[in-house]
Amino acid sequence: MHDTFEITDFLPYLLNQAADAAALEFQDYYKSRYGMLRTEWRVLFHLGHYGTMTAKGICARARLHKTKVSRAVTALETKRFLTRSALLQDRRHENLTLTKAGRRAFDDLAAEAQRFDAAIMAPFDNTERDTLRKCLRQLAKL
């Protein structure tokens, strides 16, 4: 029975390989341009897309561990891409907001992400694109 198992046909393996290939290619842009790591890009994206958030909110929405988000927030603050402000009702938490430089970086990265996404999806027709996105959203439970 084990003779018929092909790792290259195993869906979790395929998804992981596809995600890694795409993520690494896009990483070349944000790393060379802004010196960012993957988690930093994801935190920046969430603040740029959703506005002011707490680190806890980013963890929940992005499905990232709090330690990784904390490190990314510190790095983005050092790069002057975000500011922190304590919540009045609970000083243990902080609102995170993009600075003007952070907004410019987000706008640039969002535009590049759209170009990158279009290039990845170029081999597929509209129906295939819609089906692929729908299936991936279902698997990710989005």
Side-chain angles (χ1 to χ4, degrees):
M1 182 87 169
H2 296 295
D3 294 344
T4 61
F5 178 75
E6 285 291 330
I7 189 74
T8 56
D9 289 331
F10 184 51
L11 186 58
Y13 177 83
L14 286 170
L15 290 170
N16 192 358
Q17 294 298 305
D20 280 350
L24 288 173
E25 204 170 324
F26 185 61
Q27 179 180 312
D28 287 344
Y29 186 81
Y30 60 77
K31 190 173 185 179
S32 66
R33 185 132 175 142
Y34 297 101
M36 284 186 201
L37 301 175
R38 187 182 301 190
T39 306
E40 293 170 45
W41 148 244
R42 291 177 70 184
V43 168
L44 184 90
F45 164 80
H46 279 80
L47 293 173
H49 187 73
Y50 299 108
T52 298
M53 297 179 75
T54 63
K56 186 175 182 177
I58 293 170
C59 290
R61 189 174 286 272
R63 299 179 183 171
L64 291 169
H65 190 272
K66 63 183 179 179
T67 304
K68 288 187 176 194
V69 170
S70 177
R71 287 183 187 135
V73 166
T74 299
L76 291 169
E77 186 178 38
T78 300
K79 291 176 173 86
R80 299 190 175 162
F81 286 162
L82 65 77
T83 58
R84 306 176 196 226
S85 58
L87 293 174
L88 295 176
Q89 66 273 27
D90 186 351
R91 295 208 177 270
R92 294 173 297 167
H93 298 285
E94 301 170 316
N95 274 328
L96 306 172
T97 306
L98 290 183
T99 62
K100 287 181 182 178
R103 173 52 63 181
R104 283 192 301 274
F106 169 77
D107 290 343
D108 173 54
L109 290 169
E112 182 62 24
Q114 286 180 313
R115 286 188 290 275
F116 186 78
D117 187 69
I120 288 173
M121 295 303 253
F124 305 105
D125 65 33
N126 287 338
T127 303
E128 290 170 327
R129 288 180 196 129
D130 292 344
T131 300
L132 178 58
R133 288 186 199 284
K134 180 181 176 186
C135 290
L136 290 173
R137 284 187 187 107
Q138 283 179 310
L139 287 171
K141 297 175 177 55
L142 295 177

